[in-house]
Amino acid sequence: MQQTPVPAGSDALAPAIPAIPAPATPGTKTSQRPRMQLASHPEMGHWRLSLFGLTLGLVTGIDFSSTLMMGVASQHIQGGVGAAPEDYLYAISAYAATAVLMNMVLDQLARRITYKRFTMVSLLVFIAGSLICAEFASPAGLITGKAVQGLGAGGLFAASRILVQLVSTPAERAPLMLRFGGGSFSMLAITPWLTSIFLDDIGWRAVFLFQAGIALPVLLLVALTYPTRAPRDPHPPVSTLDWPAAIAAALGALVFLHTLQEMRYTRFFSSLEMPLAALCGVALFAFSGWRLYRHPDPWIDFSRLAGRQYLYGLGFYTLYYLLSSGWSFLLPTLTQTGLGLTFRTTCMLLSTSGTVSAIGAILITLGMALVFRKRRVIAIGFVVYACAAMLLSAQLMPGAPDYALVPVVLLEGLTPVLLMVQVASMTYLEVPVEDFSHAYQFKNVCKQIASAMGTGLASVFMQDGLAQHRTHLAEHITRFNPALQMPDALSAAGLAKLSQEVDRQATLLAGMDLLHGFAALCVAGAVFVLVQRSFR
């Protein structure tokens, strides 16, 4: 796409500058609400622009929902393909690694073939990866399919967000972002619910067949609504792509992220293998950075991303994705394993949270000009996240009904609006327009790493808590326990039932401990937001 001149320091979520209406002449009627329009694409009418903004959000939601469902439906997928935990981790790591690669080369590819063609090709690759996962019921098929999915979906979020910046001025951006937020969060709202319905009828393949099926109409919308007038950019911002640096970064992401994911099952310092693997991943990242530093025209120039505002925003982004990935691991684990809720019930809770996020994103975008002192809003978001964690911990008791968790997901659904949207509205204020694309690419690289780290850390602490509480509970089970005085209590079935109950109680207790630590981290984040003065 051709880049429209935009003042430096502008941000997509900043309050839109209202256009001054022309004075009315006698015999003419003035419109109360100005129609959507883009100076760079005057051929696009109001309804096409509305669908364009919605499609940008739906494209972003493809990546979000794919990652979400891999966590929620992990037990069904593992059982369906016969994957060991290590194989499943390789599938998740393969997706993250190829997603990191695509985020690094996104601007190079999209500027050469236009963002519309890049998005369409990416969706086709994502559909192919989804079909591979569904067709080949084997660990190798799952790993291959997820790697292909990552190549397709890994750059969709950044591509959509960068395209908004390229085609619009700050005054034109608010209506696009309104539809962008509604589309992306709506995808998160409907995907878990529809997947749970299809999974009951089709089985684990429904997770991937639904992803392929929902990407097809999104692909059609891209073909119909994306602007087509702009020619291919004859002068891409970077002259050459340093493939050794790109490949080293992708391999480093694969090794490092898989090491983080493997922390679910293995202590980091239990052997030399995991620390050495992590060091190998860091070394590959360092080699990639060294190549970029020496390159005369690097595709990510870190020296141009050293602004304090951007770095603070990147830190808050990383903290948010760290927390949200940990929450995405905890909620399904505690509801299904701890409370014994069904997969469909868990998906309904997730859809409720997504619905709250979608409504909140629309409302906050409409009222963005009224939101002042955004640091306080971010601090409130951390406090709300802490309240959701504490409320969930209070509901972790045997026999807790599913409706008791509704207030929890309602609170959690507010956090993307109070945290991520507000951070996004402040992070790029000092980033020049010509640097926005690779600034957003680098942010998404950090997102992938933070998400893997959050899942790994949550799993490690859960494993430790499970071991401690299981041991403590087992120590209090003696032959004088009333449960063992029942007929057939010492039979194989009775002992198996007792063991399951011990595991369930240990899961609930470990979850409570972890949620308390989660809440403490959120409170610490809120305090840090309020006391620092660099992120305004």
Side-chain angles (χ1 to χ4, degrees), residues 80-429:
V81 302
E86 294 79 7
D87 298 327
Y88 196 74
L89 288 182
Y90 268 115
I92 297 176
S93 302
Y95 181 94
T98 52
V100 167
L101 175 62
M102 286 309 301
N103 274 289
M104 288 185 168
V105 302
L106 182 155
D107 195 55
Q108 283 288 295
L109 297 178
R111 289 297 184 96
R112 283 172 164 79
I113 65 174
T114 74
Y115 274 85
K116 178 177 181 178
R117 293 191 183 99
F118 173 84
T119 303
M120 294 180 67
V121 171
S122 296
L123 287 172
L124 288 173
V125 173
F126 174 80
I127 292 171
S130 301
L131 295 178
I132 291 173
C133 291
E135 180 64 25
F136 298 98
S138 66
L142 179 65
I143 294 171
T144 303
K146 289 303 295 181
V148 175
Q149 269 195 335
L151 286 174
L156 291 178
F157 181 18
S160 299
R161 181 60 184 82
I162 293 169
L163 185 57
V164 173
Q165 197 82 359
L166 293 178
V167 302
S168 63
T169 64
E172 300 167 341
R173 205 163 290 148
L176 279 179
M177 291 307 301
L178 175 66
R179 290 152 179 83
F180 178 90
S184 58
F185 286 112
S186 295
M187 186 74 80
L188 286 176
I190 65 173
T191 297
W193 171 55
L194 292 177
T195 301
S196 67
I197 294 175
F198 288 114
L199 189 138
D200 286 344
D201 297 332
I202 302 175
W204 66 272
R205 285 185 171 88
V207 176
F208 301 108
L209 292 176
F210 178 75
Q211 291 174 6
I214 203 169
L216 285 173
V218 174
L219 176 63
L220 179 61
L221 284 173
V222 171
L224 295 176
T225 63
Y226 272 42
T228 56
R229 184 176 60 84
R232 183 176 64 180
D233 191 344
H235 303 291
V238 181
S239 58
T240 59
L241 180 61
D242 188 357
W243 282 108
I247 295 173
L251 291 177
L254 176 62
V255 174
F256 187 71
L257 294 179
H258 183 73
T259 303
L260 294 177
Q261 296 282 5
E262 198 174 357
M263 290 169 63
R264 297 187 187 189
Y265 307 104
T266 307
R267 289 182 177 274
F268 187 77
F269 292 107
S270 60
S271 66
L272 289 177
E273 182 179 353
M274 289 186 67
L276 289 177
L279 286 176
C280 180
V282 172
L284 288 168
F285 276 131
F287 173 77
S288 178
W290 177 75
R291 293 276 306 192
L292 292 174
Y293 177 76
R294 291 174 56 87
H295 199 280
D297 193 12
W299 34 271
I300 292 184
D301 189 349
F302 297 105
S303 64
R304 299 167 70 179
L305 301 177
R308 180 173 294 184
Q309 185 89 358
Y310 174 74
L311 293 179
Y312 268 92
L314 198 63
F316 285 123
Y317 265 127
T318 302
L319 179 57
Y320 169 76
Y321 287 120
L322 192 77
L323 293 171
S324 64
S325 60
W327 181 274
S328 298
F329 170 82
L330 279 175
L331 184 65
T333 299
L334 295 176
T335 54
Q336 296 182 73
T337 305
L339 298 178
L341 301 182
T342 63
F343 175 74
R344 176 172 288 194
T345 301
T346 301
C347 288
M348 287 298 296
L349 293 171
L350 293 173
S351 291
T352 302
S353 174
T355 302
V356 173
S357 298
I359 296 174
I362 294 173
L363 294 178
I364 201 70
T365 305
L366 289 172
M368 185 64 73
L370 304 177
V371 180
F372 300 102
R373 302 183 181 275
K374 295 182 181 180
R375 288 191 300 118
R376 296 184 181 180
V377 178
I378 296 172
I380 292 172
F382 279 118
V383 173
V384 170
Y385 225 159
C387 291
M390 294 303 295
L391 185 58
L392 177 57
S393 70
Q395 302 299 336
L396 293 182
M397 60 185 68
D402 51 4
Y403 59 81
L405 301 180
V406 173
V408 175
V409 296
L410 292 179
L411 286 175
E412 192 272 334
L414 294 174
T415 57
V417 179
L418 298 175
L419 289 174
M420 184 175 65
V421 173
Q422 300 304 320
V423 171
S425 69
M426 302 170 69
T427 300
Y428 306 99
L429 293 177

Side-chain angles (χ1 to χ4, degrees), residues 453-465:
M453 185 177 294
T455 304
L457 290 175
S459 179
V460 166
F461 289 124
M462 176 63 81
Q463 297 274 347
D464 288 342

Side-chain angles (χ1 to χ4, degrees), residues 4-17:
T4 303
V6 185
S10 63
D11 183 78
L13 292 178
I17 302 174

